[in-house]
Amino acid sequence: MTFYNPTAHFSIKGKVLVVPVVSVANVAQLAADLLIASLSLHRVGIFDPRSLVPVVGAREDDLPGVTTPLELFGRDDVNVAVIQQRSPALKSSKQDFVDSLLEFIRTSGASGVLFIGGVDMSNRTDPQMLTPTCQIVPPGTPDLTSGPLAALTTLPIPVYTSPVSQFLHTDAERTTIPFIPGGGLSRRMLSSLSDTWQIPTVCLLQYVMEGDNRADAQLMAAVVSKVLQVEVPNWKQPSSWGHGLFGTPHDQTLYG
């Protein structure tokens, strides 16, 4: 099975690809949900799920078929495509998944890549409490000032620095990308970019804690729209959010 399997005629060429990383509070996946719903993006492809925890479910708005762990959403008339990842990578397959995803991105023709993820709020330093969002520009990425991510250079989004020791492992695992508490595979993704990577790439991180993170997701989605200069007149929550995103309400008779 090939890594990517289109379900509709669609090309990423020339579009910016938004890639949420499974991380603390799932804020990136929730933000991707908002972008997909608000921009009316459609599922245009699915990815080989063998490296991910198996998951299957109903599709949004009762569309036919099933939801799979990793899918691509887009529209021909929108200059943004969004990958949605619904389950984490298997422990034994993390690097295989990262390598496959980066190879897909490298050959997709995307004009830019925006990784988004969460970082544990409890690990902030005092200066980092001034803003909920920060950025990492991996070394070697092409200049951002003239590409599709140029707006990022004009926004007051500080560069992320790690509040803990950068090198927690062996010398062989050292990287210029700082440690990201709760960041999932964000650091591994950025550290795995090859020296010949030619696509403008940035990672946006948001400080969050586990809980009802809908407001956090709204903020992250709004920042993404600013970076990509995409107008979203009305933000729309997916209909599935109204069907038990955080479980069903408690039976009040339990409390007397």
Side-chain angles (χ1 to χ4, degrees):
M1 182 179 183
T2 57
F3 182 66
Y4 175 67
N5 300 274
T7 59
H9 179 71
F10 180 76
S11 174
I12 302 178
K13 187 174 183 179
K15 300 181 185 294
V16 177
L17 185 61
V18 178
V19 184
V21 180
V22 175
S23 49
V24 61
N26 289 323
V27 66
Q29 280 67 42
L30 296 174
D33 270 349
L34 288 171
L35 291 167
I36 291 166
S38 302
L39 296 175
S40 299
L41 305 183
H42 312 297
R43 187 175 75 176
V44 295
I46 61 176
F47 297 87
D48 184 348
R50 73 182 67 188
S51 297
L52 304 175
V53 173
V55 64
V56 69
R59 293 184 63 194
E60 199 72 48
D61 299 324
D62 296 322
L63 290 170
V66 296
T67 291
T68 62
L70 195 65
E71 300 176 326
L72 177 66
F73 292 81
R75 258 175 52 196
D76 289 336
D77 58 342
V78 175
N79 203 34
V80 176
V82 179
I83 287 178
Q84 181 59 294
Q85 182 180 347
R86 294 186 174 85
S87 67
L90 297 166
K91 184 176 181 180
S92 61
S93 303
K94 289 180 179 179
Q95 193 59 47
D96 289 340
F97 169 66
V98 168
D99 291 342
S100 297
L101 182 59
L102 292 181
E103 178 61 16
F104 165 76
I105 295 171
R106 186 187 68 80
T107 59
S108 68
S111 60
V113 183
L114 186 62
F115 291 101
I116 56 176
V119 58
D120 188 353
M121 181 182 287
S122 64
N123 280 275
R124 288 184 298 177
T125 61
D126 287 351
Q128 289 172 333
M129 293 182 182
L130 299 176
T131 177
T133 308
C134 51
Q135 61 168 302
I136 298 176
V137 179
T141 191
D143 181 41
L144 300 181
T145 56
S146 60
L149 303 177
L152 182 64
T153 62
T154 66
L155 296 173
I157 301 177
V159 173
Y160 172 77
T161 56
S162 179
V164 297
S165 175
Q166 182 169 336
F167 303 126
L168 300 183
H169 306 292
T170 65
D171 287 344
E173 294 175 305
R174 291 193 175 193
T175 170
T176 56
I177 304 299
F179 180 63
I180 306 171
L185 295 180
S186 300
R187 189 187 194 203
R188 188 185 293 247
M189 288 279 188
L190 299 176
S191 301
S192 297
L193 298 177
S194 69
D195 294 336
T196 58
W197 190 260
Q198 296 296 315
I199 306 173
T201 302
V202 173
C203 179
L204 288 180
L205 297 171
Q206 185 164 314
Y207 295 104
V208 288
M209 294 187 71
E210 296 286 353
D212 184 344
N213 298 104
R214 283 173 287 191
D216 296 313
Q218 180 73 61
L219 174 60
M220 173 166 265
V223 173
V224 170
S225 70
K226 289 287 187 182
V227 170
L228 301 183
Q229 296 184 294
V230 175
E231 290 291 332
V232 183
N234 296 296
W235 287 101
K236 177 184 175 184
Q237 293 187 0
S239 59
S240 59
W241 283 23
H243 302 297
L245 176 63
F246 295 101
T248 55
H250 297 297
D251 183 352
Q252 296 303 306
T253 60
L254 293 172
Y255 307 104

